[in-house]
Amino acid sequence: MKMRLDKYLAHFGLGTRKEVKSFIRKGLVKVNDIIIKKDDYKVDLDCDFICFNDQKIEYRQYVYIMLNKPAGCVCATQDQVHRTVIDLIEGYDHYDLFPVGRLDKDTEGLLIITNNGDFAHKLMAPKRKHAKLYYAVIDGIVTEDDIRKFKEGIYIGDYQCQPAQLTVLAIEENYSEVYIEIYEGKFHQIKRMVQATGKKVVYLKRLQIKTLKLDPHLESGRYRELTDDELFDLMKDL
Ligand code: URA
């Protein structure tokens, strides 16, 4: 595949089209060890060896990022009022990133950010039934009856949920810590499932999607690209 040199460098995230044109004119870009000063030079992505400031750069069509979403920002690409999850990601301006699925503004934890629409669709499509694991703090005491209702598939007013798994981690005087695993992703699903048992979610954090676990070293608001192994496992049987 062939592409204009300035487009290639901009797509790689080196700067705007205008900025990369100036890098090219300054002689900072080499193709196969030869300085190229023409921004419309066509590079062959399959075989050309491209360097910026003597550092090799490789074209990537898609990127896959794990974000530990903080509370307070919204899962959208743009918003007039709130900070979006995309606003948190720096250095990927030319990739047209978007969040895979949605977490509520006050929900924290694992969010995948990518520019691969097909991957996002397959990962989130309800009929594919990929598991999503959440940690929740619930105002109220979770009972055996609640666990059974989740297992059977709880009715949330306008929707019959698929069977889900509710696991109690701790019961305190008036609240419960639980894991909840669901295989679909309706709007406010966990909060509405818990509400259907007469209780309220007061804290919610997503820990896992399919095989991908939230990196425990990733602080709230921080992100990193998925490793090859993580991506391989996620893509398997998608
Ligand atoms: N379920 C919810 O209620 N909220 C989320 O953010 C995710 C799942």
Side-chain angles (χ1 to χ4, degrees):
M1 180 169 135
K2 291 209 166 192
M3 189 185 279
R4 277 179 66 119
L5 184 56
D6 56 352
K7 186 174 175 192
Y8 172 84
L9 296 172
H11 197 89
F12 187 74
L14 279 185
T16 61
R17 206 66 176 255
K18 197 169 157 202
E19 284 164 346
V20 301
K21 277 177 202 245
S22 99
F23 297 151
I24 294 169
R25 267 181 250 120
K26 283 182 188 154
L28 297 176
V29 180
K30 285 182 187 165
V31 179
N32 302 327
D33 280 335
I34 296 166
I35 293 175
I36 301 292
K37 291 197 169 180
K38 279 175 66 183
D39 46 35
D40 64 350
Y41 182 89
K42 298 277 188 307
V43 283
D44 188 334
L45 305 186
D46 298 321
C47 57
D48 283 343
F49 187 82
I50 300 144
C51 287
F52 172 72
N53 260 341
D54 289 325
Q55 298 250 347
K56 182 173 190 288
I57 57 176
E58 269 165 308
Y59 178 77
R60 292 180 306 160
Q61 188 176 11
Y62 296 125
V63 288
Y64 305 89
I65 293 170
M66 171 192 297
L67 168 70
N68 185 355
K69 179 193 174 295
C73 62
V74 293
C75 282
T77 50
Q78 287 181 338
D79 193 281
Q80 303 292 345
V81 182
H82 302 105
R83 200 158 58 130
T84 74
V85 289
I86 301 302
D87 294 335
L88 299 175
I89 313 289
E90 289 175 359
Y92 292 87
D93 293 357
H94 299 272
Y95 281 102
D96 290 330
L97 296 176
F98 57 86
V100 178
R102 277 166 195 264
L103 292 177
D104 297 335
K105 189 169 151 225
D106 58 353
T107 301
E108 301 181 8
L110 177 60
L111 186 72
I112 301 171
I113 310 254
T114 186
N115 57 344
N116 184 341
D118 183 53
F119 161 81
H121 173 74
K122 286 182 177 151
L123 194 57
M124 286 298 145
K127 71 171 191 268
R128 300 202 185 236
K129 296 194 166 75
H130 296 310
K132 288 138 208 132
L133 178 69
Y134 292 82
Y135 164 80
V137 180
I138 295 174
D139 185 2
I141 305 300
V142 170
T143 63
E144 284 300 323
D145 194 42
D146 298 334
I147 295 172
R148 183 188 52 76
K149 282 186 188 148
F150 269 61
K151 207 171 177 175
E152 285 170 1
I154 206 160
Y155 187 67
I156 53 173
D158 55 356
Y159 180 71
Q160 175 63 53
C161 296
Q162 297 296 315
Q165 211 168 320
L166 173 61
T167 309
V168 177
L169 301 172
I171 301 276
E172 300 295 335
E173 211 171 302
N174 49 12
Y175 70 90
S176 316
E177 286 179 55
V178 298
Y179 281 148
I180 298 175
E181 188 166 72
I182 56 174
Y183 308 90
E184 50 194 344
K186 295 281 166 200
F187 185 59
H188 293 331
Q189 181 159 349
I190 299 236
K191 290 176 185 162
R192 292 167 73 202
M193 286 166 91
V194 170
Q195 201 177 18
T197 69
K199 301 172 192 63
K200 190 170 185 259
V201 171
V202 290
Y203 176 80
L204 189 60
K205 180 174 186 173
R206 185 158 62 192
L207 302 177
Q208 188 168 347
I209 302 172
K210 194 174 176 267
T211 50
L212 185 68
K213 292 187 174 144
L214 178 64
D215 183 338
H217 303 295
L218 211 54
E219 283 170 24
S220 179
R222 305 306 295 265
Y223 54 90
R224 66 158 170 81
E225 289 197 26
L226 300 193
T227 65
D228 289 346
D229 285 349
E230 285 170 338
L231 195 55
F232 179 82
D233 289 343
L234 211 46
M235 295 268 191
K236 207 158 61 187
D237 306 320
L238 200 57

